[in-house]
Amino acid sequence: MAPLNVLMVCAEYAPLAKVGGLGDVTAALSAALAARGHQVRVVMPLYGQLDREALDIRPLKKLPGLALRAGGRMRDVRYHVRGRAAGRLQVFCVECADLFDRPGIYNGPDGEPFPDAVERMALHGRAALLLPRLLDWPADIVHVHDAQTVPAALYRRLWYAGRGLPGPGATVLTIHNLAHQEIHPAAAAEALGLPAGQAVYPGLLEFHGRINLMKAGILAADRLNTVSPGYARETVSGPEAGCGLHEVLAGRREAYTGILNGADYRTWDPGRDPLLPAVYDSGDLGGKVRCRDALLAELGLEAETDRHGRLRRPLCGFVGRLVTQKGVDLMLPILARLAGDGFRFAILGTGEKRLEDAVRRLAADQRGRIAFCDRYDEALAHRIYAGCDVFLMPSLFEPCGLSQMYALRYGSPPVVRRTGGLADTVVGHPDPDATGFVFGEPRSEDLLACLRAVEKTWADRDAWVRLQERGMALRFDWNASATAYEDLYAAALAGREGGRP
Ligand code: ADP
Ligand code: GLC
């Protein structure tokens, strides 16, 4: 297709700002689109924790400072750029002392969402939509990611209809997680700078007496997608998977699709990962054993090996946000028992306090068997993907999931629940094409039964290596996903030409 100008509006962008997979995806998708010839301009907030010097982020001198309204007040804004403002992929950061110059992406140091979250989203959206005009750069596509960047799509629809924005600016919303909808009191419409009428039926924002940005985005965007075909089907199937928006989504069925994320194998490749104590690849897994031994030693885990140096039971890894979504509650009741049987566990994550506390208690009780690292640590995450034998991801729901893709590439068969993107990416034992282990019902007993199947397969060394090798050979290719986004962009543009406001 002819090259497009894509304005990418996002709150996370790896490695600058990342809480979970969203940051990996906005960065890898932008790079894949640029590699395919498109011009991509990313706009994210200049968060206080960003080390401008180390990241080569500087003020964009050619643009003046300006004052933009958010939350009923004018705020001083400056645009910054990362590296040289040249090339097909350029990253812009919006400086605003009032709203962004503090550490944190969504939450403050107390773990609670920022009280001025709506103002932050409003300012980010305004600053993003203004950029094409300031740069005299016609945007073909305005691509927003999750509820927090929906304001940009709303402003495009409500303020810039037919004027002000150079280029057609067809809007695309990617839903990375339907559970985070940004629901706020109706009065917050004003902080967004939108008429109060939008907060009452049939306004775009109205949601049971409050406002809901995800809902508004679903209604307003020219095209929308989520990050796996499986999750796309689930979210229109009923209120639970659809988080109360299944009918809204079903109403836009024609415009809604699922596009599987890719994995960025430039960062996630055990054959040349600089963060590992030893590299390895399929055909020679010797380095993986060294990674495992180093991980056991690092985390103080004691393990029994047979005379071939093989563990009696596998070392299980978990890397992820410790939140209800990730199925941590399914793991908690059975880990001690499995540890007693010889399994070992390396757990890295932060999140809900109740889950952090429960895992911390378990690790204290099971010292030497269960290790818990309660921090965000990119390098340790790599060492766990490489050093574990199996990777646990028993999520209750999972829009796509990247961790299981990384685990597959690192030769650590994932244990997953049959849901969303996990079901789309892992083939369960005993299928001849199996790449991991899959269970159905969200019950600890079912996870336990699955780990008993792991135990059995583990005992058969050759079968285990075949399982690893099949997973390592898979590629979830960003180039393929980027072509699917091109189709979505083309449909969004065609819809706009067809007269959508
Ligand atoms: P989600 O986006 O729901 O968190 P994904 O599987 O898509 O789930 O992506 C999670 C990403 O965040 C992966 O890159 C994973 O390695 C990373 N991650 C999560 N928690 C941590 C942590 N505590 N330390 C390092 N990386 C983490
Ligand atoms: C969300 C989802 C996760 C997905 C990621 C990137 O955080 O929870 O499943 O992989 O976004 O799209």
Side-chain angles (χ1 to χ4, degrees), residues 138-154:
D140 295 301
I141 299 293
V142 176
H143 189 163
V144 304
H145 296 266
D146 271 352
Q148 62 271 11
T149 52
V150 159
L154 294 179

Side-chain angles (χ1 to χ4, degrees), residues 7 16 31 52 99 112 200 244 248 486:
L7 184 72
L16 277 62
R52 300 181 195 184
L99 292 172
E112 294 298 315
V200 289
V248 184
E486 285 176 352

Side-chain angles (χ1 to χ4, degrees), residues 334-359:
I334 57 173
L335 291 197
R337 180 156 150 203
L338 288 161
D341 294 343
F343 281 84
R344 295 294 175 259
F345 297 93
I347 301 174
L348 169 64
T350 61
E352 292 166 22
K353 185 167 181 313
R354 73 171 183 99
L355 291 173
E356 286 184 3
D357 287 346
V359 178

Side-chain angles (χ1 to χ4, degrees), residues 8 117 123-124 202 243 261 268 289 292 328 350 407 416 479 481 493:
M8 206 58 99
L123 189 83
H124 181 199
C243 300
N261 285 332
W268 300 98
V289 177
R292 190 205 59 205
V328 188
T350 61
V416 303
N479 189 48
S481 306
L493 283 165

Side-chain angles (χ1 to χ4, degrees), residues 12 18-25 176-177 180 227 261 268 318-323 325-326 347-351 373-382 384-385 391 393 395 397-406 422:
E12 296 180 39
K18 168 172 164 181
V19 173
L22 172 61
D24 286 353
V25 168
H176 295 265
N177 197 331
H180 301 297
V227 286
N261 285 332
W268 300 98
F318 176 96
V319 177
R321 295 179 293 118
L322 287 179
V323 296
Q325 172 192 345
K326 298 292 171 184
I347 301 174
L348 169 64
T350 61
C373 303
D374 55 349
R375 58 180 190 268
Y376 186 92
D377 186 336
E378 194 75 31
L380 178 57
H382 284 245
I384 293 181
Y385 289 118
F391 186 80
M393 200 161 169
S395 308
F397 71 94
E398 197 62 71
C400 178
L402 300 174
S403 296
Q404 84 282 9
M405 295 182 183
Y406 304 153
L422 298 177

Side-chain angles (χ1 to χ4, degrees), residues 6 16 43-44 64 95 107 165 176 181 184 189 239 288 306 308 320 325 329 416 423 434 452 459 465 477 487:
V6 182
L16 277 62
V43 191
M44 60 178 281
E95 180 189 347
N107 302 333
L165 189 75
H176 295 265
Q181 299 182 359
H184 296 276
K288 184 164 173 70
D306 65 15
H308 306 293
Q325 172 192 345
D329 293 287
V416 303
R452 293 301 177 206
V465 173
D477 178 18
D487 293 343

